[in-house]
Amino acid sequence: MNEKLKGKFIVLDGPDGCGKSTQVRMLSEWVADQGVDVVSYRDPGTTIVGEKIREILLDPAHEGMGDNVEVLLYMAARAQLWKEHISPDLEHGKCVLMDRWISSTCAYQGVAGGFGAEKVLKIGTDSLERVWPDVTVVLDVDLETAASRMQRDLDRMEQKGDQYHAAVREGFLELSVYHETVKVVNAAQDIEQVHAEVLKLIKEF
Ligand code: TMP
């Protein structure tokens, strides 16, 4: 397992409130326990450029932002994160765990926003050195469970309403059409159960 985890690029993704930050942390601890150097990053963000782009994207004052503009900004933050961190880390044999990646742009802007998942993937192919990670684990959750986990002020994306977020969920569930490394876990279960299922998938890979 130790050798197999080195240099692997693993993404956890899903609708807001799916619990992916907790699952990234738990998976990161497990990978470290296997004796493998592991790093985890959030997308958008992590780099100075990426965190500034994140602020622009999530600021509720920017309500008129178009889906195409969102796609380009999310992709720009991602390209910077790849250059500054992910690429050198993978080269050094680290296991890289991501909190979101292009799978989010496909589901949010591509499907829910109507931009088109194929177009998102085309822009990704033209602007990123790597579009698909070794595995993308989608943490699937219904709107009600997700809302119960988000008892705080909502950012601009989270404020887009139930219809948008129902489409985001569908967008994530359709992703395996585009790549065979996309897998879905039922994230409405309790934290330990979800972690066990995530581990099972990672071990299978
Ligand atoms: P986060 O809070 O999970 O870090 O994600 C920030 C928000 O941005 C979240 O509502 C999902 C959204 N998002 C997109 O709409 N498209 C994307 O490509 C990414 C990465 C996130």
Side-chain angles (χ1 to χ4, degrees):
M1 186 54 70
N2 178 312
E3 281 308 311
K4 287 184 178 159
L5 286 165
K6 285 185 184 164
K8 287 292 183 299
F9 180 26
I10 299 171
V11 172
L12 266 58
D13 213 336
D16 292 282
C18 69
K20 76 198 147 38
S21 306
T22 305
Q23 292 300 327
V24 167
R25 187 175 36 76
M26 291 170 92
L27 182 58
S28 169
E29 285 167 7
W30 179 82
V31 174
D33 285 346
Q34 309 305 303
V36 175
D37 241 356
V38 57
V39 285
S40 55
Y41 302 123
R42 71 169 178 180
D43 174 28
T46 307
T47 66
I48 292 172
V49 170
E51 289 294 337
K52 287 189 175 167
I53 293 175
R54 180 185 174 91
E55 271 176 44
I56 295 170
L57 278 161
L58 301 187
D59 186 343
H62 300 161
E63 59 180 54
M65 192 183 294
D67 291 285
N68 53 349
V69 176
E70 289 178 4
V71 169
L72 295 171
L73 288 178
Y74 279 112
M75 214 63 83
R78 190 167 296 137
Q80 190 66 26
L81 182 52
W82 175 271
K83 176 175 178 271
E84 281 188 37
H85 293 283
I86 306 174
S87 174
D89 287 343
L90 292 176
E91 271 174 34
H92 288 122
K94 293 183 187 174
C95 177
V96 177
L97 301 186
M98 287 302 306
D99 183 328
R100 298 198 186 278
W101 189 244
I102 197 169
S103 28
S104 274
T105 323
C106 289
Y108 283 81
Q109 287 67 42
V111 176
F115 184 79
E118 285 91 352
K119 270 167 71 186
V120 168
L121 290 170
K122 186 172 182 308
I123 291 175
T125 305
D126 289 343
S127 55
L128 300 173
E129 281 170 59
R130 181 148 166 200
V131 173
W132 293 104
D134 291 296
V135 58
T136 301
V137 180
V138 171
L139 302 173
D140 179 46
V141 71
D142 58 277
L143 286 188
E144 219 172 283
T145 308
S148 71
R149 292 173 179 172
M150 292 163 50
Q151 308 292 350
R152 53 181 166 76
D153 286 346
L154 301 182
D155 64 39
R156 191 181 65 85
M157 295 304 299
E158 291 164 344
Q159 286 177 7
K160 287 197 181 220
D162 281 358
Q163 208 181 338
Y164 183 90
H165 287 282
V168 167
R169 184 184 183 197
E170 290 312 311
F172 275 116
L173 293 175
E174 285 167 17
L175 272 179
S176 54
V177 168
Y178 299 104
H179 212 257
E180 70 282 2
T181 53
V182 180
K183 302 289 166 193
V184 179
V185 163
N186 172 11
Q189 311 172 85
D190 76 53
I191 289 174
E192 291 297 337
Q193 266 174 309
V194 177
H195 177 57
E197 286 200 24
V198 171
L199 277 192
K200 191 166 167 270
L201 275 179
I202 301 296
K203 286 175 184 169
E204 277 168 15
F205 265 85

Short mmCIF file of all heavy atoms in Angstrom, two decimals, residues 16 20-21 42-44 54 58 70 74 78 99-102 104-106 108-109 152 155 157-158 164-165, ligand 1:
data_model
loop_
_atom_site.label_atom_id
_atom_site.label_comp_id
_atom_site.label_asym_id
_atom_site.label_seq_id
_atom_site.Cartn_x
_atom_site.Cartn_y
_atom_site.Cartn_z
N ASP A 16 -21.96 21.14 -1.64
CA ASP A 16 -21.71 21.82 -0.36
C ASP A 16 -22.41 21.04 0.75
O ASP A 16 -23.55 20.58 0.57
CB ASP A 16 -22.28 23.25 -0.42
CG ASP A 16 -21.49 24.12 -1.39
OD1 ASP A 16 -20.39 24.56 -1.01
OD2 ASP A 16 -21.96 24.31 -2.53
N LYS A 20 -16.73 16.90 2.87
CA LYS A 20 -15.46 16.49 2.26
C LYS A 20 -14.24 16.99 3.01
O LYS A 20 -13.22 16.29 3.03
CB LYS A 20 -15.42 16.82 0.77
CG LYS A 20 -15.20 18.21 0.47
CD LYS A 20 -15.57 18.58 -0.91
CE LYS A 20 -16.07 19.99 -0.86
NZ LYS A 20 -15.37 20.88 0.08
N SER A 21 -14.31 18.16 3.66
CA SER A 21 -13.13 18.65 4.38
C SER A 21 -12.78 17.68 5.53
O SER A 21 -11.60 17.36 5.74
CB SER A 21 -13.36 20.05 4.93
OG SER A 21 -13.76 20.87 3.86
N ARG A 42 -6.89 22.92 -0.73
CA ARG A 42 -8.25 23.21 -1.16
C ARG A 42 -8.24 23.97 -2.48
O ARG A 42 -7.37 24.81 -2.73
CB ARG A 42 -9.02 23.99 -0.09
CG ARG A 42 -8.61 25.43 0.10
CD ARG A 42 -9.61 26.14 0.99
NE ARG A 42 -9.24 27.52 1.25
CZ ARG A 42 -9.94 28.34 1.99
NH1 ARG A 42 -11.03 27.91 2.57
NH2 ARG A 42 -9.56 29.59 2.18
N ASP A 43 -9.22 23.64 -3.30
CA ASP A 43 -9.39 24.27 -4.61
C ASP A 43 -10.80 24.85 -4.67
O ASP A 43 -11.76 24.09 -4.49
CB ASP A 43 -9.19 23.20 -5.69
CG ASP A 43 -9.50 23.71 -7.10
OD1 ASP A 43 -9.34 24.92 -7.33
OD2 ASP A 43 -9.90 22.89 -7.95
N PRO A 44 -11.00 26.16 -4.88
CA PRO A 44 -9.97 27.15 -5.18
C PRO A 44 -9.29 27.60 -3.89
O PRO A 44 -9.91 27.62 -2.83
CB PRO A 44 -10.77 28.30 -5.79
CG PRO A 44 -12.10 28.22 -5.12
CD PRO A 44 -12.35 26.75 -4.91
N ARG A 54 -10.41 33.10 -4.98
CA ARG A 54 -11.48 32.50 -4.16
C ARG A 54 -12.36 33.60 -3.55
O ARG A 54 -13.58 33.51 -3.54
CB ARG A 54 -10.84 31.63 -3.07
CG ARG A 54 -11.86 30.95 -2.17
CD ARG A 54 -11.19 30.18 -1.03
NE ARG A 54 -12.20 29.68 -0.13
CZ ARG A 54 -12.79 28.49 -0.23
NH1 ARG A 54 -12.43 27.65 -1.15
NH2 ARG A 54 -13.74 28.15 0.61
N LEU A 58 -16.37 33.96 -4.20
CA LEU A 58 -17.35 33.64 -3.13
C LEU A 58 -18.01 34.87 -2.51
O LEU A 58 -18.94 34.74 -1.72
CB LEU A 58 -16.68 32.78 -2.04
CG LEU A 58 -16.10 31.45 -2.54
CD1 LEU A 58 -15.62 30.61 -1.37
CD2 LEU A 58 -17.10 30.67 -3.38
N GLU A 70 -17.08 32.43 -14.03
CA GLU A 70 -16.76 31.52 -12.92
C GLU A 70 -15.83 30.39 -13.40
O GLU A 70 -14.84 30.08 -12.75
CB GLU A 70 -18.05 30.90 -12.35
CG GLU A 70 -18.90 31.90 -11.57
CD GLU A 70 -20.20 31.27 -11.06
OE1 GLU A 70 -20.40 30.05 -11.24
OE2 GLU A 70 -21.01 32.01 -10.47
N TYR A 74 -12.23 29.79 -11.68
CA TYR A 74 -11.91 28.53 -10.98
C TYR A 74 -10.73 27.84 -11.66
O TYR A 74 -9.83 27.31 -11.01
CB TYR A 74 -13.12 27.59 -10.95
CG TYR A 74 -14.12 27.92 -9.86
CD1 TYR A 74 -15.40 28.41 -10.16
CD2 TYR A 74 -13.80 27.75 -8.51
CE1 TYR A 74 -16.32 28.71 -9.17
CE2 TYR A 74 -14.71 28.06 -7.51
CZ TYR A 74 -15.97 28.53 -7.84
OH TYR A 74 -16.87 28.84 -6.85
N ARG A 78 -6.90 27.00 -10.16
CA ARG A 78 -6.45 25.60 -10.23
C ARG A 78 -5.09 25.48 -10.94
O ARG A 78 -4.21 24.73 -10.51
CB ARG A 78 -7.53 24.82 -10.99
CG ARG A 78 -7.40 23.34 -10.97
CD ARG A 78 -8.69 22.74 -11.49
NE ARG A 78 -9.79 23.04 -10.60
CZ ARG A 78 -11.02 23.41 -10.99
NH1 ARG A 78 -11.31 23.50 -12.26
NH2 ARG A 78 -11.94 23.67 -10.10
N ASP A 99 -9.23 18.82 -1.87
CA ASP A 99 -10.59 19.18 -1.49
C ASP A 99 -11.14 19.94 -2.69
O ASP A 99 -10.88 21.13 -2.84
CB ASP A 99 -10.50 20.05 -0.23
CG ASP A 99 -11.85 20.44 0.33
OD1 ASP A 99 -12.80 20.60 -0.44
OD2 ASP A 99 -11.91 20.63 1.57
N ARG A 100 -11.82 19.25 -3.60
CA ARG A 100 -12.35 19.71 -4.89
C ARG A 100 -11.30 19.76 -6.00
O ARG A 100 -10.11 19.84 -5.74
CB ARG A 100 -13.01 21.10 -4.79
CG ARG A 100 -14.22 21.15 -3.86
CD ARG A 100 -15.05 22.40 -4.15
NE ARG A 100 -16.13 22.57 -3.20
CZ ARG A 100 -17.31 21.93 -3.28
NH1 ARG A 100 -17.52 21.10 -4.26
NH2 ARG A 100 -18.25 22.13 -2.38
N TRP A 101 -11.79 19.74 -7.24
CA TRP A 101 -10.95 19.85 -8.45
C TRP A 101 -11.89 20.13 -9.61
O TRP A 101 -13.04 20.59 -9.40
CB TRP A 101 -10.13 18.55 -8.63
CG TRP A 101 -9.07 18.57 -9.70
CD1 TRP A 101 -9.04 17.80 -10.83
CD2 TRP A 101 -7.89 19.38 -9.75
NE1 TRP A 101 -7.91 18.10 -11.57
CE2 TRP A 101 -7.20 19.06 -10.94
CE3 TRP A 101 -7.35 20.38 -8.92
CZ2 TRP A 101 -6.01 19.68 -11.32
CZ3 TRP A 101 -6.16 21.00 -9.30
CH2 TRP A 101 -5.50 20.65 -10.47
N ILE A 102 -11.52 19.79 -10.85
CA ILE A 102 -12.34 20.15 -12.02
C ILE A 102 -13.72 19.47 -11.98
O ILE A 102 -14.68 19.96 -12.60
CB ILE A 102 -11.60 19.81 -13.33
CG1 ILE A 102 -12.24 20.56 -14.50
CG2 ILE A 102 -11.54 18.31 -13.57
CD1 ILE A 102 -11.42 20.52 -15.79
N SER A 104 -15.74 19.66 -9.66
CA SER A 104 -16.67 20.69 -9.15
C SER A 104 -17.10 21.63 -10.27
O SER A 104 -18.27 22.02 -10.35
CB SER A 104 -16.00 21.53 -8.05
OG SER A 104 -16.13 20.92 -6.81
N THR A 105 -16.17 22.03 -11.12
CA THR A 105 -16.52 22.96 -12.20
C THR A 105 -17.51 22.30 -13.16
O THR A 105 -18.42 22.95 -13.68
CB THR A 105 -15.26 23.45 -12.96
OG1 THR A 105 -14.20 23.60 -12.03
CG2 THR A 105 -15.51 24.76 -13.67
N CYS A 106 -17.32 20.99 -13.40
CA CYS A 106 -18.27 20.26 -14.26
C CYS A 106 -19.67 20.28 -13.63
O CYS A 106 -20.66 20.54 -14.33
CB CYS A 106 -17.82 18.81 -14.45
SG CYS A 106 -16.38 18.63 -15.47
N TYR A 108 -20.95 22.22 -10.95
CA TYR A 108 -21.54 23.54 -10.62
C TYR A 108 -21.77 24.36 -11.89
O TYR A 108 -22.90 24.63 -12.27
CB TYR A 108 -20.63 24.31 -9.64
CG TYR A 108 -20.71 23.85 -8.20
CD1 TYR A 108 -20.01 22.72 -7.78
CD2 TYR A 108 -21.47 24.52 -7.25
CE1 TYR A 108 -20.07 22.28 -6.46
CE2 TYR A 108 -21.54 24.09 -5.93
CZ TYR A 108 -20.83 22.98 -5.54
OH TYR A 108 -20.90 22.55 -4.24
N GLN A 109 -20.67 24.78 -12.53
CA GLN A 109 -20.82 25.66 -13.69
C GLN A 109 -21.31 24.88 -14.91
O GLN A 109 -22.17 25.35 -15.67
CB GLN A 109 -19.48 26.35 -14.01
CG GLN A 109 -19.07 27.44 -13.04
CD GLN A 109 -18.75 26.93 -11.65
OE1 GLN A 109 -18.08 25.90 -11.48
NE2 GLN A 109 -19.21 27.64 -10.65
N ARG A 152 -24.40 28.22 9.04
CA ARG A 152 -23.51 29.39 9.08
C ARG A 152 -23.91 30.33 7.95
O ARG A 152 -24.78 29.99 7.14
CB ARG A 152 -22.05 28.95 8.91
CG ARG A 152 -21.86 28.10 7.67
CD ARG A 152 -20.43 27.63 7.50
NE ARG A 152 -20.32 26.56 6.53
CZ ARG A 152 -20.38 26.71 5.23
NH1 ARG A 152 -20.51 27.92 4.71
NH2 ARG A 152 -20.27 25.68 4.41
N ASP A 155 -21.88 31.50 1.49
CA ASP A 155 -21.14 32.31 0.52
C ASP A 155 -21.94 32.42 -0.78
O ASP A 155 -23.03 31.88 -0.90
CB ASP A 155 -19.71 31.74 0.29
CG ASP A 155 -19.72 30.35 -0.34
OD1 ASP A 155 -20.56 30.09 -1.22
OD2 ASP A 155 -18.85 29.52 0.04
N MET A 157 -21.76 31.12 -3.78
CA MET A 157 -22.14 29.88 -4.46
C MET A 157 -23.22 29.14 -3.66
O MET A 157 -24.17 28.62 -4.23
CB MET A 157 -20.91 28.97 -4.64
CG MET A 157 -19.83 29.51 -5.55
SD MET A 157 -20.40 29.94 -7.20
CE MET A 157 -20.99 28.37 -7.79
N GLU A 158 -23.03 29.13 -2.33
CA GLU A 158 -24.00 28.40 -1.49
C GLU A 158 -25.38 29.06 -1.51
O GLU A 158 -26.39 28.41 -1.27
CB GLU A 158 -23.46 28.32 -0.05
CG GLU A 158 -22.24 27.41 0.08
CD GLU A 158 -21.48 27.62 1.37
OE1 GLU A 158 -21.69 28.66 2.05
OE2 GLU A 158 -20.65 26.76 1.71
N TYR A 164 -30.59 25.06 -8.04
CA TYR A 164 -29.21 25.02 -8.52
C TYR A 164 -28.47 23.86 -7.84
O TYR A 164 -27.80 23.06 -8.49
CB TYR A 164 -28.53 26.36 -8.19
CG TYR A 164 -27.10 26.49 -8.69
CD1 TYR A 164 -26.82 27.00 -9.95
CD2 TYR A 164 -26.03 26.09 -7.89
CE1 TYR A 164 -25.51 27.12 -10.41
CE2 TYR A 164 -24.71 26.20 -8.34
CZ TYR A 164 -24.46 26.71 -9.59
OH TYR A 164 -23.16 26.82 -10.04
N HIS A 165 -28.65 23.74 -6.52
CA HIS A 165 -27.88 22.73 -5.79
C HIS A 165 -28.36 21.31 -6.06
O HIS A 165 -27.57 20.36 -6.01
CB HIS A 165 -27.82 23.07 -4.30
CG HIS A 165 -26.90 24.24 -4.05
ND1 HIS A 165 -25.53 24.10 -4.04
CD2 HIS A 165 -27.15 25.56 -3.92
CE1 HIS A 165 -24.97 25.29 -3.89
NE2 HIS A 165 -25.94 26.21 -3.81
P1 TMP B 1 -15.51 25.05 -0.74
O1 TMP B 1 -16.28 25.90 0.21
O2 TMP B 1 -15.89 23.63 -0.72
O3 TMP B 1 -14.03 25.27 -0.61
O4 TMP B 1 -15.87 25.53 -2.23
C1 TMP B 1 -16.14 26.85 -2.52
C2 TMP B 1 -17.39 26.98 -3.33
O5 TMP B 1 -17.09 27.07 -4.71
C3 TMP B 1 -18.41 25.85 -3.18
O6 TMP B 1 -19.71 26.42 -3.06
C4 TMP B 1 -18.31 25.11 -4.48
C5 TMP B 1 -17.88 26.17 -5.45
N1 TMP B 1 -17.10 25.68 -6.59
C6 TMP B 1 -17.60 25.84 -7.89
O7 TMP B 1 -18.70 26.35 -8.07
N2 TMP B 1 -16.82 25.45 -8.94
C7 TMP B 1 -15.56 24.91 -8.77
O8 TMP B 1 -14.90 24.57 -9.75
C8 TMP B 1 -15.08 24.74 -7.42
C9 TMP B 1 -13.73 24.15 -7.20
C10 TMP B 1 -15.87 25.14 -6.37
#
